[in-house]
């Protein structure tokens, strides 16, 4: 066993495969095994948002290994998947292989990688993290709007459904980024229409079916996907 080898966490960026860092791509190309996340739906389907990005890099398909998380609020199934995946990671590491784990966006921001990192740290496995571009950074770039200037404050709200909570947060922040907006969207959307705020909506950033709009009314009948966010400026 090679005591000095590490397990690498590699950020892929929000969807455009060309937004990976040079360092991240080099590590993937040199890795013996690349673990990537995906979703396991109730109807049995398994899909991965990041797999097309890995295919774009023309990596050997034989070294790609997916781990698929069941979608839903019950975390027990996900925890089991993390335990099983961490065990596979450690086994491969003990064999002296160069191991990488990838995730979309940045691996320190609402990332499944963090749950694997915790398990690896508990076993004192050496890990190196390669940061990446966040979805909200790409969203701001697509809309060509600054997230914040000078002494302005930027805040983040996940799974938000309360307009009162957003109003309260705007007492402390100039710009808010709503993440994981799908779950509370039906309740929240009508209230957003009544506000004189500036909105910058983004979904599937960097992917072929990317969609953005600064007109909140265009979202009236739109089905909001999982990979979506809303930047709001007061």
């Amino acid at each position: 066993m090679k005591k000095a080898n590490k397990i690498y966490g590699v950020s892929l960026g929000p969807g455009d495969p060309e937004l990976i860092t040079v360092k991240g791509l080099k590590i993937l190309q040199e890795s013996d095994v690349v673990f990537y996340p995906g979703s396991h739906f109730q109807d049995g389907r398994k899909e991965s948002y990041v797999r097309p990005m890995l295919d774009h890099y023309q990596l050997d398909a034989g070294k790609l290994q997916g781990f698929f998380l069941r979608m839903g609020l019950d975390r027990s199934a996900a925890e089991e998947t993390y335990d099983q995946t961490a065990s596979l990671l450690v086994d491969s590491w003990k064999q002296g292989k160069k191991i990488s784990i990838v995730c979309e966006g940045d691996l320190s921001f609402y990332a499944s990688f963090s749950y694997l990192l915790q398990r690896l740290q508990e076993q004192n496995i050496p890990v190196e993290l390669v940061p990446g571009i966040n979805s909200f950074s790409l969203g701001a770039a697509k809309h060509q709007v600054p997230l914040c200037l000078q002494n302005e404050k930027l805040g983040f709200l996940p799974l938000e459904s309360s307009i009162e909570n957003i109003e309260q947060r705007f007492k402390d922040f100039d710009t808010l980024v709503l993440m994981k907006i799908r779950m509370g969207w039906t309740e929240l959307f009508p209230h957003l229409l009544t506000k004189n705020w500036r909105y910058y909506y983004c979904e599937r950033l960097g992917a072929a079916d990317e969609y953005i709009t600064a007109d909140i009314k265009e979202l009236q009948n739109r089905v909001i996907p999982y990979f979506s966010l809303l930047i709001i400026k007061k």
Side-chain angles (χ1 to χ4, degrees):
M1 179 179 67
K2 297 180 181 179
K3 295 290 186 178
N5 66 326
K6 304 175 183 177
I7 291 179
Y8 293 86
V10 178
S11 305
L12 298 179
D16 182 344
E18 294 185 352
L19 291 180
I20 190 175
T21 63
V22 173
K23 181 174 183 177
L25 179 57
K26 182 179 180 181
I27 289 173
L28 295 184
Q29 292 170 335
E30 295 175 349
S31 294
D32 299 305
V33 186
V34 177
F35 286 80
Y36 66 92
S39 301
H40 189 179
F41 297 93
Q42 292 184 349
D43 60 7
R45 288 181 297 116
K46 291 183 177 181
E47 296 180 0
S48 173
Y49 186 75
V50 304
R51 178 57 191 263
M53 301 168 70
L54 297 176
D55 292 337
H56 177 87
Y57 305 136
Q58 298 182 335
L59 304 175
D60 180 1
K63 70 179 186 180
L64 303 181
Q65 184 162 339
F67 59 97
F68 296 87
L69 301 163
R70 292 191 177 277
M71 303 301 290
L73 296 178
D74 182 6
R75 296 293 299 173
S76 59
E79 293 297 330
E80 182 178 352
T81 299
Y82 290 132
D83 287 339
Q84 295 171 348
T85 304
S87 179
L88 292 173
L89 287 165
V90 174
D91 288 345
S92 296
W93 176 79
K94 288 181 177 179
Q95 295 171 28
K97 295 179 180 179
K98 186 168 184 176
I99 309 300
S100 297
I101 315 164
V102 302
C103 77
E104 68 277 1
D106 177 77
L107 43 63
S108 299
F109 192 80
Y110 295 124
S112 58
F113 170 82
S114 297
Y115 301 102
L116 294 173
L117 175 63
Q118 178 185 2
R119 287 162 169 78
L120 296 175
Q121 290 174 331
E122 289 171 351
Q123 300 186 56
N124 296 315
I125 306 295
V127 183
E128 180 176 334
L129 277 60
V130 181
I133 296 175
N134 287 299
S135 58
F136 58 87
S137 296
L138 180 57
K142 291 286 185 176
H143 281 286
Q144 299 186 15
V145 58
L147 286 170
C148 41
L149 294 169
Q150 298 181 354
N151 63 339
E152 292 179 347
K153 297 178 181 179
L154 173 66
F156 297 89
L157 293 175
L159 301 170
E160 189 56 71
S161 60
S162 169
I163 194 68
E164 291 80 13
N165 195 31
I166 295 175
E167 291 173 330
Q168 183 67 29
R169 293 300 183 271
F170 264 137
K171 294 179 180 179
D172 299 311
F173 298 97
D174 302 281
T175 301
L176 292 174
V177 180
L178 274 56
M179 310 291 297
K180 307 179 182 181
I181 65 175
R182 181 176 63 176
M183 292 190 66
W185 186 251
T186 301
E187 180 179 352
L188 182 61
F189 179 72
H191 299 288
L192 295 176
L193 292 173
T194 68
K195 300 298 180 180
N196 192 30
W197 296 332
R198 288 172 289 160
Y199 300 105
Y200 305 94
Y201 173 80
C202 312
E203 68 180 51
R204 304 184 190 280
L205 284 166
D209 53 351
E210 169 186 290
Y211 173 79
I212 68 171
T213 182
D215 184 354
I216 192 74
K217 296 178 182 178
E218 290 186 2
L219 304 178
Q220 183 76 51
N221 298 310
R222 191 169 187 86
V223 177
I224 305 300
Y226 177 80
F227 290 101
S228 58
L229 62 87
L230 184 67
I231 300 170
I232 309 178
K233 285 182 169 290
K234 64 181 180 181

